[in-house]
């Protein structure tokens, strides 16, 4: 019903990825179930669901431990939108096959808008994971966000909603900074190291120099989450990090484990993910519009109820 590019898709479209095109893109969407296999009991045709970006079985030791991005029942890196661990297609397709549907799919809570929540497959739920557990452990923390797109803006929204006393959002794009200010964040065009300025840092730029500056801003025993795809190598200030006692977490997101928590926050009314949606575009215009540089376009299908015959 509604699909949107992840921040990494713009890097892939710009040729910075590591997989040779062509392949099916897209790993963020809210979909309507059109048909289910015999063993499926948790969802039924007609249901609106969030489809997680990574494919996972829900039943292996890793999945049971919440490490859903590292499921051992499927090839390593099995995901939509990039044929790294097998070919599963992309979520910009008209129809998508979802294996392990009972474990994979998360029904969209009533009242949530599929357009606003198209990113719950990845970026919205990732943003929750980047900051919510750390703010729970450090109530009222100061949060630094160094970013280039939707992930960082979602983090600003979530951090303020969950009680961060201060949020600084750093991004060269003025329209992104304006949105961050609407979420209650202070903003800056470029990052300057503020020693011991922040308890939590989130880096989502894919640039190692920005990650290095972010960790230099941390208070003793502070934590930095890196959500950028670092396609290029670089150096980190390891001695500074040693002296400060920094924790750096660099991880693909086990998104299925916390999509429900991220949706609960979205339904609470304390956040406004719909503000990050920059354009709502007709599904048929997707191929032409996707390469254009937009913050967070959402491509929307007309809702015909999606019976199997009408959808095909
Ligand atoms: Zn992604
Ligand atoms: Zn598994």
């Amino acid at each position: 019903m509604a699909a949107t590019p992840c921040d990494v898709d713009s890097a892939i479209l710009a040729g910075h990825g590591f997989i040779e095109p062509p392949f099916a893109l897209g790993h963020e969407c809210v979909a309507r179930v059109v048909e289910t296999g015999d063993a499926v009991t948790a969802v039924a045709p007609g249901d609106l669901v969030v489809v997680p970006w990574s494919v996972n079985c829900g039943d292996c030791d890793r999945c049971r431990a919440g490490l859903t991005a590292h499921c051992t029942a499927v090839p390593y890196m099995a995901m939509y939108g990039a044929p790294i661990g097998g070919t599963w297609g992309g979520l910009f397709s008209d129809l998508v096959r979802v294996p392990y549907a009972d474990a994979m799919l998360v029904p969209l809570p009533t009242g949530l808008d599929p357009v606003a929540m198209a990113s719950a497959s990845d970026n919205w739920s990732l943003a929750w994971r980047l900051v919510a557990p750390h703010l729970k452990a450090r109530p009222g923390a100061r949060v630094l966000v160094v970013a280039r797109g939707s992930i960082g803006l979602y983090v600003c929204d979530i951090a303020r909603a969950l009680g961060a006393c201060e949020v600084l959002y750093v991004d060269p794009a003025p329209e992104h900074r304006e949105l961050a200010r609407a979420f209650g964040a202070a903003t800056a065009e470029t990052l300057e190291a503020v020693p011991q300025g922040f308890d939590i840092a989130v880096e989502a730029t894919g640039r190692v120099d920005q990650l290095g500056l972010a960790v230099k801003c941390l208070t003793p025993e502070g934590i930095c989450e890196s959500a950028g795809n670092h396609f290029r190598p670089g150096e980190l200030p390891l001695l500074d990090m040693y002296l400060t006692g920094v924790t750096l977490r660099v991880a693909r997101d086990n998104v299925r484990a916390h999509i429900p928590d991220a949706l609960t926050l979205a339904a609470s009314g304390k956040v406004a993910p719909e503000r990050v949606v920059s354009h709502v575009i007709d599904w048929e215009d997707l191929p032409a519009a996707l390469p254009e540089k937009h913050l967070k376009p959402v491509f929307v299908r007309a809702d015909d109820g999606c019976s199997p015959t009408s959808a095909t």
Side-chain angles (χ1 to χ4, degrees):
M1 300 312 311
T4 187
C6 167
D7 288 356
V8 77
D9 287 335
S10 54
I12 293 173
L13 284 163
H16 299 313
F18 51 86
I19 318 152
E20 272 302 301
F23 55 88
L25 264 180
H27 58 263
E28 297 196 346
C29 82
V30 167
R32 194 177 286 288
V33 177
V34 294
E35 197 180 326
T36 57
D38 295 341
V40 175
T41 59
V43 295
D47 288 357
L48 278 177
V49 292
V50 174
V51 185
W53 69 267
S54 71
V55 178
N56 65 276
C57 77
D59 195 40
C60 69
D61 287 349
R62 296 242 181 101
C63 282
R64 284 171 186 268
L67 306 181
T68 55
H70 304 273
C71 175
T72 55
V74 290
Y76 190 60
M77 283 296 293
M79 65 177 288
Y80 293 110
I84 310 171
T87 303
W88 306 87
L91 300 184
F92 291 139
S93 301
D94 291 323
L95 285 171
V96 177
R97 177 177 171 269
V98 180
Y100 312 109
D102 282 350
M104 285 274 286
L105 297 175
V106 184
L108 189 72
T110 312
L112 282 181
D113 176 10
V115 173
M117 298 321 299
S119 199
S121 304
D122 184 1
N123 290 175
W124 168 259
S125 303
L126 164 67
W128 182 93
R129 173 62 186 84
L130 293 173
V131 76
H134 304 313
L135 273 167
K136 197 171 181 187
R138 303 158 194 250
R142 297 164 297 171
V143 179
L144 170 67
V145 185
V146 191
R148 294 291 184 270
S150 71
I151 296 169
L153 293 165
Y154 290 143
V155 170
C156 290
D157 189 11
I158 294 168
R160 288 303 272 186
L162 298 182
C165 76
E166 182 187 334
V167 179
L168 174 63
Y169 177 81
V170 183
D171 186 328
E175 66 276 19
H176 298 177
R177 295 200 301 276
E178 194 181 322
L179 264 171
R181 285 193 291 275
F183 288 134
T187 61
E189 201 173 334
T190 53
L191 178 59
E192 285 169 30
V194 184
Q196 309 202 5
F198 297 91
D199 309 294
I200 300 166
V202 174
E203 177 275 328
T205 65
R207 291 180 48 172
V208 185
D209 62 329
Q210 297 297 297
L211 176 57
L213 281 169
V215 293
K216 280 187 171 185
C217 294
L218 285 172
T219 198
E221 301 291 332
I223 182 156
C224 179
E225 290 269 7
S226 172
N229 278 268
H230 289 272
F231 293 118
R232 283 162 293 193
E235 287 181 14
L236 287 175
L238 290 171
L239 181 59
D240 291 282
M241 294 165 70
Y242 168 84
L243 294 172
T244 318
V246 166
T247 298
L248 171 61
R249 186 169 171 276
V250 186
R252 282 190 295 130
D253 189 34
N254 295 295
V255 74
R256 176 58 185 85
H258 45 261
I259 286 175
D261 289 325
L263 290 175
T264 298
L265 178 64
S268 71
K270 293 180 189 161
V271 288
E274 69 278 4
R275 282 192 199 157
V276 177
V277 175
S278 58
H279 300 74
V280 178
I281 299 173
D282 189 86
W283 189 257
E284 301 304 322
D285 296 331
L286 193 156
L290 188 62
E292 291 170 17
K293 280 214 173 295
H294 296 316
L295 168 61
K296 198 72 172 172
V298 178
F299 300 98
V300 182
R301 289 177 67 121
D303 193 354
D304 56 4
C306 276
S307 67
T309 41
S310 63
T312 52

